[in-house]
């Protein structure tokens, strides 16, 4: 049974906070594109393996990295999360 977009977003957030790179990367399709900000026209990462490599390196180098969900909006197949990231030198949203 396929997960709903909301379930996918929560699974991704949970894997991120557990720093489980396999579970996190496997959420993405083989040719996924990651954009840092709404409105960006060029992806910051392309493909599951690039996502695995970059996030895997971050999980290893910053094990205290965590995301706190501040708000979530669901519109059809889209889920928009407002997250607060801590565990780095400078927390950010």
């Amino acid at each position: 049974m396929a997960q709903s977009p909301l379930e996918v977003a929560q699974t991704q957030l949970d894997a991120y906070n557990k720093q489980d790179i396999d579970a996190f990367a496997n959420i993405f399709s083989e040719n996924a594109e990651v954009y840092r900000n709404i409105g960006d026209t060029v992806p910051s990462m392309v493909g599951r393996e690039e996502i695995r490599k970059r996030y895997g390196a971050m999980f290893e180098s910053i094990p205290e990295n965590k995301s706190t969900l501040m708000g979530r909006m669901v519109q059809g197949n889209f889920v928009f999360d407002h997250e607060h990231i801590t565990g780095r030198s400078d927390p950010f949203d």
Side-chain angles (χ1 to χ4, degrees):
M1 181 175 188
Q3 290 184 310
S4 71
L6 179 59
E7 290 168 327
V8 171
Q10 188 61 51
T11 298
Q12 180 200 36
L13 179 63
D14 293 342
Y16 181 96
N17 281 332
K18 291 177 187 171
Q19 303 218 356
D20 181 340
I21 191 55
D22 291 327
F24 182 81
N26 288 336
I27 291 292
F28 294 90
S29 69
E30 289 288 331
N31 58 350
E33 295 181 350
V34 175
Y35 295 82
R36 289 190 62 94
N37 300 296
I38 292 175
D40 285 354
T41 58
V42 176
S44 61
M45 288 178 256
V46 177
R48 181 185 297 151
E49 289 314 308
E50 184 175 356
I51 293 166
R52 180 186 307 278
K53 180 180 175 184
R54 290 188 45 195
Y55 277 91
M58 181 190 64
F59 289 170
E60 281 187 33
S61 66
I62 312 171
E64 58 279 350
N65 182 68
K66 296 289 180 229
S67 175
T68 301
L69 185 62
M70 305 301 288
R72 177 173 278 165
M73 181 173 61
V74 179
Q75 292 187 346
N77 287 331
F78 295 92
V79 179
F80 302 90
D81 282 354
H82 174 193
E83 300 176 30
H84 183 70
I85 308 297
T86 58
R88 301 181 189 193
S89 57
D90 294 314
F92 65 93
D93 287 357

